[in-house]
Amino acid sequence: MIKEGQIGVSTGNIFPIIKKFLYSDHEIFLREVISNAVDATQKLKTLSDVGEFKGEQGDLSVRVSVDKEARTLTVSDRGIGMTAEEVENYINQIALSSANDFLDKYKESANAIIGHFGLGFYSTFMVASKVEIITKSYKDEPAVKWSCNGDPAYTMEECDKSDRGTDIILHIDEENGEFLEKGKIESLLEKYCKFLPVPIVFGKKQEWKDGKYVDTDEDKVVNDVNPLWKQKPAGLKDEDYQAFYRKLYPMSLDEPLFWIHLNVDYPFNLTGILYFPRIKNNIELQRNKIQLYCNQVFVTDSVEGIVPEFLTLLHGVIDSPDIPLNVSRSYLQSDSNVKKISNHITKKVADKLEEIFKKERTQFEEKWDSLKIFVEYGMLTEERFYDRAAKFSLLKNMEDKYFTLEEYKRVIEGSQTDKHGTLVYLYANNKEEQYTFIDAAKGKGYDVLMMDGQLDVHWMGLLEQKLEKTRVVRVDSDTVEHLIEKEEKSTVELTDKEKENLTEAVKSLVPPIAKTEFNVDFKSLGEAGRPIQITQNEFSRRMKEMSAMQPGMAFYGEMPDMYQMVVNMDHPMMRQLKQEIGEKSKEEAAAFAAGDSKLKQVVDLALLANGMLKGEALNNFIKRSVELL
């Protein structure tokens, strides 16, 4: 007997809404149908385990097949199946308090429909003009065939089916012919079903024969039913984790630095493996490599806002039944369980890093240069992570020695505390280019850090905020005598006229350099000090460096580089220059400088020490040097 009826929704609008609002995510239908098949299969296993099902389980694979000529895509399982009454309850009645409430609440949020009210099955109507269900329950009841053409009208009748389980047959519509292509289905199975806990079979394994690939008799299982993150960590070796990483990221050439195996069952369920990859130089390219699963069903790999921002740089897998099977990121971001899981993952990452630091410090130091971008990013963006990471984040000096923040403070507080009681951290970001300044600082007994990472300039600003009475300055931001003010320095006595003429003389000899400006400053640096040095103000330079990574600060990036030409008025040559031009006019001062080859030489030497003498100016310097010799 054929039964006809209307699907239990108080409006006929359900199908247009499914078609229209779910359309952008229409490929998800395959995940939903296969997930239902897996669920039915696992229920049968459970019933068998508790003795409610006493028959043979047999082959429990879920099978996916495509018939291009008939334009059908079929998903078959040998799970618990459904009786006519269950089809009535689970398929014909969409359990909503009010269909109108449903429409109002979800018409703006396509993704919130799928997986949220057990509507996964109805996602099939995004791609199919007709859907058939042929199902037979594990109970001794007749098989049922259900059919619907994408409107609330359906037919249901008894049919012949010898084996328990369910076949979902999708008659693919004209617009969605791509889902009849073997390659497309393979890619979707790879994306959504790679780690489902029940074997998913699609076609046959192939072998090379007579110059082409041909099918064998062996089923092709597309998934790994027992992925590494579901296994007990105690039984796994490093090679297992490395092999799984290659399976997740077959295009990655580098081994990961570390990994964390998550295995939590209270206060929520959470398993997974997070890897610290080796980062080259571009943060943005590395994001969204964490795959989010719910009971081994793929949910999303767009985890920003779901996990803390700094963890989006990690790779790996997170799996939790407490994460709803719902691909709406806005929904996930507001879910309280997701927030708890996010906080817990942050804690586990900090625990693991601290454990490695304490137990294997040498190994931790060897990997620090690659690891620090994660730690610094976490400290910059996550307050509670900063508090933990302050114990194991490291500073590296020019001798490649590593110190924790507390250790380094003890190293330098005796020699690098200024007259105001502020501890001054000195650093360089290029050992070759800043060698002269590094050498001068070491000559004073100071220690110099290497800070050449992508986030170091932001991280140094954070340390200045967090550490009491602390300044961080680059070694070329001032002359070595003024980097750390120990006492009142003697002032330079110059009249306004003398300052004007000396400034004119020095600046007139500086070759034009694009987007670069010089101010002239006069200091008392001792007779043995160099006559002219070039420094760059810490604040303005740091603002420019930070602007390169923050679009909102772009105006700093457009400003010219500002340098100080520091003239040492204790040097005999500069004292002589003052006497020669002190009371002349500006024009006369410039003319005098133009004819003074030694003055040109010391200006060029200062530029050369900063890597700023190039092209014609460098060529002229070399010629002049030969002449002077």
Side-chain angles (χ1 to χ4, degrees):
M1 181 183 116
I2 297 177
K3 175 181 177 180
E4 296 182 356
Q6 297 276 317
I7 291 168
V9 177
S10 64
T11 171
N13 288 343
I14 184 71
F15 286 101
I17 283 172
I18 287 171
K19 286 268 186 189
K20 182 177 178 183
F21 289 106
L22 299 189
Y23 193 77
S24 62
D25 285 293
H26 55 327
E27 68 179 35
I28 285 172
F29 82 90
L30 191 61
R31 181 191 79 176
E32 295 297 315
V33 175
I34 292 177
S35 296
N36 289 344
V38 167
D39 190 41
T41 305
Q42 289 184 303
K43 282 176 178 169
L44 185 87
K45 286 183 182 178
T46 302
L47 292 173
S48 181
D49 290 343
V50 299
E52 282 191 37
F53 172 67
K54 295 185 167 49
E56 289 292 321
Q57 289 186 30
D59 177 16
L60 294 180
S61 302
V62 172
R63 295 176 179 272
V64 182
S65 59
V66 171
D67 185 333
K68 208 166 178 180
E69 286 186 20
R71 293 190 67 82
T72 59
L73 173 65
T74 303
V75 177
S76 303
D77 68 69
R78 296 187 68 255
I80 56 174
M82 289 183 283
T83 63
E85 183 181 358
E86 286 166 341
V87 171
E88 188 70 50
N89 289 340
Y90 300 139
I91 303 297
N92 295 339
Q93 299 296 325
I94 297 177
L96 300 169
S97 57
S98 158
N100 292 325
D101 287 350
F102 162 73
L103 296 179
D104 290 342
K105 190 170 183 181
Y106 290 108
K107 66 184 178 185
E108 300 302 328
S109 179
N111 292 327
I113 300 174
I114 292 185
H116 194 57
F117 282 113
L119 282 170
F121 166 72
Y122 282 95
S123 65
T124 54
F125 287 98
M126 293 189 295
V127 300
S129 56
K130 177 182 178 182
V131 178
E132 294 174 300
I133 303 173
I134 299 172
T135 183
K136 180 173 173 60
S137 173
Y138 74 98
K139 302 168 187 171
D140 188 19
E141 293 200 31
V144 179
K145 179 180 180 180
W146 177 95
S147 180
C148 178
N149 291 325
D151 56 46
Y154 67 86
T155 62
M156 200 166 99
E157 61 185 310
E158 287 186 12
C159 67
D160 291 329
K161 179 171 166 48
S162 57
D163 199 8
R164 66 160 199 273
T166 301
D167 301 332
I168 308 285
I169 304 160
L170 311 185
H171 295 262
I172 302 298
D173 62 29
E174 291 299 325
E175 295 173 19
N176 290 285
E178 63 182 313
F179 297 110
L180 296 169
E181 300 296 333
K182 183 182 176 189
K184 178 68 174 178
I185 299 303
E186 279 179 342
S187 71
L188 293 181
L189 293 174
E190 168 75 14
K191 179 176 179 179
Y192 291 113
C193 307
K194 186 158 58 174
F195 299 114
L196 284 173
V198 169
I200 311 297
V201 173
F202 183 58
K204 299 290 185 181
K205 285 186 178 178
Q206 293 190 315
E207 64 181 16
W208 186 258
K209 199 171 183 181
D210 298 330
K212 61 181 179 180
Y213 282 106
V214 295
D215 287 349
T216 64
D217 294 331
E218 191 179 349
D219 286 338
K220 182 182 178 183
V221 177
V222 299
N223 59 320
D224 175 359
V225 298
N226 187 28
L228 206 69
W229 78 82
K230 301 298 284 186
Q231 299 174 33
K232 294 276 185 243
L236 299 172
K237 301 186 176 76
D238 288 357
E239 302 83 73
D240 298 320
Y241 288 104
Q242 287 160 349
F244 186 63
Y245 185 77
R246 287 191 291 274
K247 188 172 188 176
L248 287 174
Y249 310 106
M251 303 305 289
S252 179
L253 300 175
D254 295 315
E255 295 290 344
L257 294 166
F258 300 120
W259 47 84
I260 299 168
H261 195 137
L262 302 163
N263 196 356
V264 183
D265 53 21
Y266 183 82
F268 41 74
N269 287 297
L270 174 70
T271 53
I273 301 170
L274 291 177
Y275 292 92
F276 288 83
R278 291 181 190 276
I279 292 234
K280 295 294 188 228
N281 55 15
N282 192 314
I283 295 175
E284 293 303 317
L285 291 178
Q286 300 292 328
R287 289 180 189 272
N288 290 333
K289 292 294 186 80
I290 293 179
Q291 298 171 13
L292 199 61
Y293 288 79
C294 172
N295 284 328
Q296 295 174 240
V297 180
F298 178 78
V299 178
T300 182
D301 59 6
S302 182
V303 296
E304 283 181 68
I306 299 164
V307 302
E309 189 178 355
F310 79 102
L311 292 182
T312 63
L313 299 184
L314 300 187
H315 295 182
V317 169
I318 299 169
D319 187 348
S320 174
D322 297 310
I323 294 173
L325 185 56
N326 179 309
V327 293
S328 166
R329 280 183 57 220
S330 60
Y331 182 89
L332 284 170
Q333 287 166 20
S334 64
D335 186 86
S336 61
N337 273 329
V338 173
K339 282 197 173 78
K340 288 177 195 165
I341 289 168
S342 172
N343 291 337
H344 183 80
I345 293 168
T346 301
K347 178 182 179 299
K348 292 296 284 185
V349 167
D351 287 346
K352 179 68 172 180
L353 290 173
E354 190 171 355
E355 177 193 340
I356 296 170
F357 170 70
K358 286 178 175 174
K359 291 183 178 176
E360 304 168 53
R361 176 156 177 170
T362 302
Q363 183 193 1
F364 191 84
E365 288 181 359
E366 285 170 358
K367 295 182 178 178
W368 175 252
D369 287 355
S370 296
L371 188 65
K372 77 172 184 175
I373 194 165
F374 300 104
V375 177
E376 288 181 358
Y377 197 14
M379 293 171 83
L380 284 161
T381 57
E382 196 78 14
E383 184 73 29
R384 70 179 77 196
F385 185 75
Y386 176 92
D387 296 336
R388 293 289 305 279
K391 298 172 190 171
F392 54 75
S393 60
L394 298 179
L395 298 165
K396 181 175 77 167
N397 73 3
M398 288 295 151
E399 284 71 47
D400 292 337
K401 291 180 182 172
Y402 292 87
F403 307 88
T404 64
L405 297 177
E406 190 57 40
E407 289 167 353
Y408 196 68
K409 181 182 175 184
R410 290 198 294 270
V411 167
I412 65 169
E413 59 189 350
S415 59
Q416 291 176 218
T417 303
D418 71 11
K419 64 185 180 185
H420 304 294
T422 299
L423 194 59
V424 182
Y425 292 65
L426 299 178
Y427 74 97
N429 62 3
N430 189 306
K431 196 179 277 192
E432 298 300 319
E433 290 180 8
Q434 293 148 16
Y435 180 85
T436 304
F437 295 94
I438 296 167
D439 190 54
K442 287 182 176 179
K444 277 275 192 181
Y446 300 152
D447 192 79
V448 181
L449 296 169
M450 174 53 78
M451 292 282 195
D452 58 351
Q454 287 168 270
L455 296 177
D456 280 347
V457 66
H458 296 275
W459 192 59
M460 288 182 283
L462 180 69
L463 293 183
E464 287 175 327
Q465 292 172 36
K466 295 284 189 180
L467 304 178
E468 204 173 315
K469 294 196 78 172
T470 296
R471 277 194 309 128
V472 185
V473 293
R474 207 164 84 179
V475 286
D476 59 351
S477 64
D478 210 332
T479 59
V480 70
E481 295 83 0
H482 292 78
L483 279 173
I484 304 172
E485 298 276 12
K486 296 288 190 177
E487 58 199 30
E488 294 301 329
K489 298 290 180 186
S490 57
T491 55
V492 174
E493 300 292 338
L494 291 172
T495 66
D496 289 346
K497 184 64 178 169
E498 287 170 338
K499 283 183 181 177
E500 183 181 49
N501 282 355
L502 287 166
T503 298
E504 183 65 28
V506 171
K507 286 185 81 169
S508 69
L509 298 179
V510 177
I513 303 172
K515 290 189 74 174
T516 304
E517 291 183 10
F518 292 91
N519 294 316
V520 178
D521 193 14
F522 304 96
K523 289 186 177 177
S524 177
L525 304 176
E527 288 192 8
R530 280 180 286 156
I532 296 178
Q533 297 177 50
I534 296 173
T535 63
Q536 189 178 18
N537 177 270
E538 177 71 22
F539 175 78
S540 60
R541 195 211 67 253
R542 202 189 289 188
M543 286 299 112
K544 284 205 69 157
E545 288 176 357
M546 290 170 73
S547 73
M549 293 182 67
Q550 290 182 232
M553 297 174 67
F555 64 96
Y556 278 111
E558 296 305 310
M559 293 171 69
D561 290 323
M562 302 295 296
Y563 292 91
Q564 287 76 44
M565 275 273 188
V566 182
V567 178
N568 177 13
M569 294 311 299
D570 290 341
H571 194 279
M573 189 175 172
M574 294 300 109
R575 288 207 302 264
Q576 178 70 28
L577 181 65
K578 183 179 87 166
Q579 290 174 3
E580 296 279 0
I581 66 171
E583 298 303 322
K584 294 183 186 295
S585 68
K586 276 177 66 174
E587 292 73 22
E588 288 174 320
F592 179 88
D596 188 339
S597 58
K598 285 188 178 179
L599 183 58
K600 284 182 182 176
Q601 200 72 355
V602 295
V603 170
D604 282 357
L605 282 168
L607 291 165
L608 191 65
N610 284 63
M612 302 168 79
L613 196 64
K614 295 173 183 175
E616 184 183 358
L618 178 59
N619 189 48
N620 291 340
F621 168 77
I622 293 168
K623 285 180 180 177
R624 195 184 321 115
S625 298
V626 173
E627 288 167 10
L628 286 170
L629 285 170

PDB file of all heavy atoms in Angstrom, residues 555-574:
ATOM      1  N   PHE A 555      50.530  55.328   8.180  1.00  0.00           N
ATOM      2  CA  PHE A 555      51.064  56.682   8.002  1.00  0.00           C
ATOM      3  C   PHE A 555      52.498  56.783   8.504  1.00  0.00           C
ATOM      4  O   PHE A 555      53.305  57.556   7.990  1.00  0.00           O
ATOM      5  CB  PHE A 555      50.177  57.715   8.713  1.00  0.00           C
ATOM      6  CG  PHE A 555      50.115  57.571  10.200  1.00  0.00           C
ATOM      7  CD1 PHE A 555      50.955  58.327  11.017  1.00  0.00           C
ATOM      8  CD2 PHE A 555      49.222  56.690  10.798  1.00  0.00           C
ATOM      9  CE1 PHE A 555      50.903  58.202  12.390  1.00  0.00           C
ATOM     10  CE2 PHE A 555      49.165  56.557  12.177  1.00  0.00           C
ATOM     11  CZ  PHE A 555      50.013  57.320  12.976  1.00  0.00           C
ATOM     12  N   TYR A 556      52.852  55.967   9.516  1.00  0.00           N
ATOM     13  CA  TYR A 556      54.250  55.948   9.987  1.00  0.00           C
ATOM     14  C   TYR A 556      55.175  55.437   8.882  1.00  0.00           C
ATOM     15  O   TYR A 556      56.292  55.904   8.716  1.00  0.00           O
ATOM     16  CB  TYR A 556      54.395  55.055  11.214  1.00  0.00           C
ATOM     17  CG  TYR A 556      54.022  55.718  12.519  1.00  0.00           C
ATOM     18  CD1 TYR A 556      52.883  55.326  13.211  1.00  0.00           C
ATOM     19  CD2 TYR A 556      54.816  56.725  13.065  1.00  0.00           C
ATOM     20  CE1 TYR A 556      52.541  55.931  14.412  1.00  0.00           C
ATOM     21  CE2 TYR A 556      54.479  57.327  14.264  1.00  0.00           C
ATOM     22  CZ  TYR A 556      53.333  56.932  14.936  1.00  0.00           C
ATOM     23  OH  TYR A 556      52.988  57.530  16.114  1.00  0.00           O
ATOM     24  N   GLY A 557      54.685  54.426   8.153  1.00  0.00           N
ATOM     25  CA  GLY A 557      55.505  53.840   7.092  1.00  0.00           C
ATOM     26  C   GLY A 557      55.808  54.820   5.975  1.00  0.00           C
ATOM     27  O   GLY A 557      56.810  54.672   5.270  1.00  0.00           O
ATOM     28  N   GLU A 558      54.936  55.824   5.789  1.00  0.00           N
ATOM     29  CA  GLU A 558      55.151  56.802   4.725  1.00  0.00           C
ATOM     30  C   GLU A 558      56.135  57.900   5.123  1.00  0.00           C
ATOM     31  O   GLU A 558      56.632  58.646   4.291  1.00  0.00           O
ATOM     32  CB  GLU A 558      53.809  57.449   4.334  1.00  0.00           C
ATOM     33  CG  GLU A 558      52.802  56.473   3.728  1.00  0.00           C
ATOM     34  CD  GLU A 558      53.371  55.728   2.533  1.00  0.00           C
ATOM     35  OE1 GLU A 558      53.914  56.383   1.627  1.00  0.00           O
ATOM     36  OE2 GLU A 558      53.281  54.483   2.514  1.00  0.00           O
ATOM     37  N   MET A 559      56.393  58.010   6.411  1.00  0.00           N
ATOM     38  CA  MET A 559      57.290  59.068   6.884  1.00  0.00           C
ATOM     39  C   MET A 559      58.739  58.719   6.543  1.00  0.00           C
ATOM     40  O   MET A 559      59.100  57.538   6.465  1.00  0.00           O
ATOM     41  CB  MET A 559      57.143  59.239   8.402  1.00  0.00           C
ATOM     42  CG  MET A 559      55.775  59.775   8.807  1.00  0.00           C
ATOM     43  SD  MET A 559      55.525  59.729  10.590  1.00  0.00           S
ATOM     44  CE  MET A 559      56.698  60.985  11.112  1.00  0.00           C
ATOM     45  N   PRO A 560      59.594  59.740   6.322  1.00  0.00           N
ATOM     46  CA  PRO A 560      60.999  59.441   6.025  1.00  0.00           C
ATOM     47  C   PRO A 560      61.721  58.850   7.232  1.00  0.00           C
ATOM     48  O   PRO A 560      61.297  59.049   8.382  1.00  0.00           O
ATOM     49  CB  PRO A 560      61.577  60.825   5.663  1.00  0.00           C
ATOM     50  CG  PRO A 560      60.673  61.809   6.325  1.00  0.00           C
ATOM     51  CD  PRO A 560      59.313  61.188   6.350  1.00  0.00           C
ATOM     52  N   ASP A 561      62.794  58.107   6.986  1.00  0.00           N
ATOM     53  CA  ASP A 561      63.639  57.610   8.074  1.00  0.00           C
ATOM     54  C   ASP A 561      64.414  58.792   8.648  1.00  0.00           C
ATOM     55  O   ASP A 561      65.033  59.562   7.912  1.00  0.00           O
ATOM     56  CB  ASP A 561      64.619  56.556   7.541  1.00  0.00           C
ATOM     57  CG  ASP A 561      63.911  55.272   7.152  1.00  0.00           C
ATOM     58  OD1 ASP A 561      62.956  54.898   7.857  1.00  0.00           O
ATOM     59  OD2 ASP A 561      64.303  54.656   6.157  1.00  0.00           O
ATOM     60  N   MET A 562      64.365  58.940   9.969  1.00  0.00           N
ATOM     61  CA  MET A 562      65.033  60.067  10.636  1.00  0.00           C
ATOM     62  C   MET A 562      66.292  59.576  11.352  1.00  0.00           C
ATOM     63  O   MET A 562      66.231  58.637  12.150  1.00  0.00           O
ATOM     64  CB  MET A 562      64.089  60.720  11.653  1.00  0.00           C
ATOM     65  CG  MET A 562      62.783  61.238  11.067  1.00  0.00           C
ATOM     66  SD  MET A 562      63.022  62.600   9.896  1.00  0.00           S
ATOM     67  CE  MET A 562      63.718  63.842  10.973  1.00  0.00           C
ATOM     68  N   TYR A 563      67.428  60.215  11.059  1.00  0.00           N
ATOM     69  CA  TYR A 563      68.704  59.861  11.687  1.00  0.00           C
ATOM     70  C   TYR A 563      69.307  61.099  12.351  1.00  0.00           C
ATOM     71  O   TYR A 563      69.025  62.240  11.960  1.00  0.00           O
ATOM     72  CB  TYR A 563      69.689  59.332  10.643  1.00  0.00           C
ATOM     73  CG  TYR A 563      69.299  57.991  10.062  1.00  0.00           C
ATOM     74  CD1 TYR A 563      68.510  57.911   8.913  1.00  0.00           C
ATOM     75  CD2 TYR A 563      69.719  56.807  10.660  1.00  0.00           C
ATOM     76  CE1 TYR A 563      68.143  56.692   8.384  1.00  0.00           C
ATOM     77  CE2 TYR A 563      69.352  55.575  10.130  1.00  0.00           C
ATOM     78  CZ  TYR A 563      68.568  55.518   8.994  1.00  0.00           C
ATOM     79  OH  TYR A 563      68.209  54.305   8.480  1.00  0.00           O
ATOM     80  N   GLN A 564      70.143  60.819  13.362  1.00  0.00           N
ATOM     81  CA  GLN A 564      70.914  61.883  14.001  1.00  0.00           C
ATOM     82  C   GLN A 564      72.372  61.773  13.566  1.00  0.00           C
ATOM     83  O   GLN A 564      72.965  60.693  13.669  1.00  0.00           O
ATOM     84  CB  GLN A 564      70.859  61.784  15.543  1.00  0.00           C
ATOM     85  CG  GLN A 564      69.542  62.184  16.167  1.00  0.00           C
ATOM     86  CD  GLN A 564      68.474  61.116  15.989  1.00  0.00           C
ATOM     87  OE1 GLN A 564      68.730  59.933  16.167  1.00  0.00           O
ATOM     88  NE2 GLN A 564      67.275  61.552  15.608  1.00  0.00           N
ATOM     89  N   MET A 565      72.939  62.891  13.050  1.00  0.00           N
ATOM     90  CA  MET A 565      74.377  63.014  12.837  1.00  0.00           C
ATOM     91  C   MET A 565      74.943  63.574  14.146  1.00  0.00           C
ATOM     92  O   MET A 565      74.769  64.756  14.439  1.00  0.00           O
ATOM     93  CB  MET A 565      74.672  64.006  11.713  1.00  0.00           C
ATOM     94  CG  MET A 565      74.631  63.426  10.330  1.00  0.00           C
ATOM     95  SD  MET A 565      76.195  62.719   9.862  1.00  0.00           S
ATOM     96  CE  MET A 565      75.860  62.381   8.145  1.00  0.00           C
ATOM     97  N   VAL A 566      75.573  62.725  14.934  1.00  0.00           N
ATOM     98  CA  VAL A 566      76.089  63.163  16.234  1.00  0.00           C
ATOM     99  C   VAL A 566      77.534  63.635  16.059  1.00  0.00           C
ATOM    100  O   VAL A 566      78.420  62.845  15.705  1.00  0.00           O
ATOM    101  CB  VAL A 566      76.000  62.013  17.272  1.00  0.00           C
ATOM    102  CG1 VAL A 566      76.504  62.514  18.623  1.00  0.00           C
ATOM    103  CG2 VAL A 566      74.563  61.512  17.381  1.00  0.00           C
ATOM    104  N   VAL A 567      77.756  64.917  16.286  1.00  0.00           N
ATOM    105  CA  VAL A 567      79.088  65.509  16.149  1.00  0.00           C
ATOM    106  C   VAL A 567      79.743  65.566  17.525  1.00  0.00           C
ATOM    107  O   VAL A 567      79.186  66.132  18.466  1.00  0.00           O
ATOM    108  CB  VAL A 567      78.994  66.930  15.542  1.00  0.00           C
ATOM    109  CG1 VAL A 567      80.376  67.562  15.434  1.00  0.00           C
ATOM    110  CG2 VAL A 567      78.306  66.884  14.177  1.00  0.00           C
ATOM    111  N   ASN A 568      80.898  64.949  17.650  1.00  0.00           N
ATOM    112  CA  ASN A 568      81.633  64.894  18.921  1.00  0.00           C
ATOM    113  C   ASN A 568      82.500  66.152  19.044  1.00  0.00           C
ATOM    114  O   ASN A 568      83.567  66.248  18.447  1.00  0.00           O
ATOM    115  CB  ASN A 568      82.499  63.627  18.943  1.00  0.00           C
ATOM    116  CG  ASN A 568      83.342  63.547  20.212  1.00  0.00           C
ATOM    117  OD1 ASN A 568      83.130  64.288  21.170  1.00  0.00           O
ATOM    118  ND2 ASN A 568      84.309  62.632  20.201  1.00  0.00           N
ATOM    119  N   MET A 569      82.035  67.094  19.848  1.00  0.00           N
ATOM    120  CA  MET A 569      82.739  68.372  19.955  1.00  0.00           C
ATOM    121  C   MET A 569      84.008  68.288  20.807  1.00  0.00           C
ATOM    122  O   MET A 569      84.732  69.283  20.934  1.00  0.00           O
ATOM    123  CB  MET A 569      81.800  69.442  20.510  1.00  0.00           C
ATOM    124  CG  MET A 569      80.652  69.790  19.573  1.00  0.00           C
ATOM    125  SD  MET A 569      81.168  70.129  17.860  1.00  0.00           S
ATOM    126  CE  MET A 569      82.249  71.549  18.084  1.00  0.00           C
ATOM    127  N   ASP A 570      84.313  67.111  21.386  1.00  0.00           N
ATOM    128  CA  ASP A 570      85.584  66.932  22.095  1.00  0.00           C
ATOM    129  C   ASP A 570      86.700  66.529  21.136  1.00  0.00           C
ATOM    130  O   ASP A 570      87.880  66.587  21.483  1.00  0.00           O
ATOM    131  CB  ASP A 570      85.457  65.840  23.172  1.00  0.00           C
ATOM    132  CG  ASP A 570      84.572  66.281  24.337  1.00  0.00           C
ATOM    133  OD1 ASP A 570      84.369  67.504  24.470  1.00  0.00           O
ATOM    134  OD2 ASP A 570      84.087  65.410  25.079  1.00  0.00           O
ATOM    135  N   HIS A 571      86.348  66.061  19.945  1.00  0.00           N
ATOM    136  CA  HIS A 571      87.350  65.585  19.006  1.00  0.00           C
ATOM    137  C   HIS A 571      88.124  66.789  18.446  1.00  0.00           C
ATOM    138  O   HIS A 571      87.518  67.804  18.061  1.00  0.00           O
ATOM    139  CB  HIS A 571      86.684  64.811  17.852  1.00  0.00           C
ATOM    140  CG  HIS A 571      87.642  64.022  17.034  1.00  0.00           C
ATOM    141  ND1 HIS A 571      88.414  64.591  16.047  1.00  0.00           N
ATOM    142  CD2 HIS A 571      87.986  62.698  17.055  1.00  0.00           C
ATOM    143  CE1 HIS A 571      89.169  63.659  15.486  1.00  0.00           C
ATOM    144  NE2 HIS A 571      88.929  62.493  16.084  1.00  0.00           N
ATOM    145  N   PRO A 572      89.469  66.680  18.380  1.00  0.00           N
ATOM    146  CA  PRO A 572      90.285  67.814  17.906  1.00  0.00           C
ATOM    147  C   PRO A 572      89.842  68.345  16.544  1.00  0.00           C
ATOM    148  O   PRO A 572      89.843  69.556  16.299  1.00  0.00           O
ATOM    149  CB  PRO A 572      91.701  67.222  17.834  1.00  0.00           C
ATOM    150  CG  PRO A 572      91.687  66.082  18.800  1.00  0.00           C
ATOM    151  CD  PRO A 572      90.294  65.535  18.789  1.00  0.00           C
ATOM    152  N   MET A 573      89.453  67.459  15.656  1.00  0.00           N
ATOM    153  CA  MET A 573      89.065  67.886  14.309  1.00  0.00           C
ATOM    154  C   MET A 573      87.804  68.766  14.354  1.00  0.00           C
ATOM    155  O   MET A 573      87.676  69.754  13.608  1.00  0.00           O
ATOM    156  CB  MET A 573      88.815  66.640  13.452  1.00  0.00           C
ATOM    157  CG  MET A 573      88.616  66.935  11.984  1.00  0.00           C
ATOM    158  SD  MET A 573      88.476  65.374  11.095  1.00  0.00           S
ATOM    159  CE  MET A 573      88.002  66.005   9.498  1.00  0.00           C
ATOM    160  N   MET A 574      86.851  68.396  15.217  1.00  0.00           N
ATOM    161  CA  MET A 574      85.611  69.162  15.309  1.00  0.00           C
ATOM    162  C   MET A 574      85.843  70.496  16.026  1.00  0.00           C
ATOM    163  O   MET A 574      85.216  71.508  15.684  1.00  0.00           O
ATOM    164  CB  MET A 574      84.535  68.332  16.030  1.00  0.00           C
ATOM    165  CG  MET A 574      84.102  67.092  15.263  1.00  0.00           C
ATOM    166  SD  MET A 574      83.395  67.461  13.641  1.00  0.00           S
ATOM    167  CE  MET A 574      84.688  66.857  12.559  1.00  0.00           C
TER     168      MET A 574
END
